[in-house]
Amino acid sequence: MSQHNISGSEVFGPRPGVMLRSVRTGGLRRKRAARTWAAFVAGAVAAVAVGAVAMAAVFGPTLFG
């Protein structure tokens, strides 16, 4: 493949470039990342809680009774 020094609107001819003015600056992406981290933390806390309950159910009678 040959390499050319052409970028942007030059590829399509002598027309003016396109300006995008209504593009969001990553707010939705940040919200999605925050929700993902919150879900991960909630899952980790739930797993630890279930593990603690299971350990108490298995070892509780021998330790406390």
Side-chain angles (χ1 to χ4, degrees):
M1 302 238 343
S2 63
Q3 294 180 344
H4 299 285
N5 241 352
I6 300 174
S7 63
S9 62
E10 298 172 11
V11 176
F12 303 109
R15 294 179 292 194
V18 177
M19 296 293 290
L20 298 175
R21 295 176 189 225
S22 65
V23 176
R24 292 189 179 182
T25 60
L28 185 61
R29 185 172 55 245
R30 283 192 297 270
K31 285 181 185 177
R32 187 179 306 136
R35 279 197 306 261
T36 302
W37 275 107
F40 175 76
V41 170
V45 168
V48 169
V50 168
V53 169
M55 293 293 280
V58 170
F59 296 112
T62 60
L63 293 175
F64 302 113

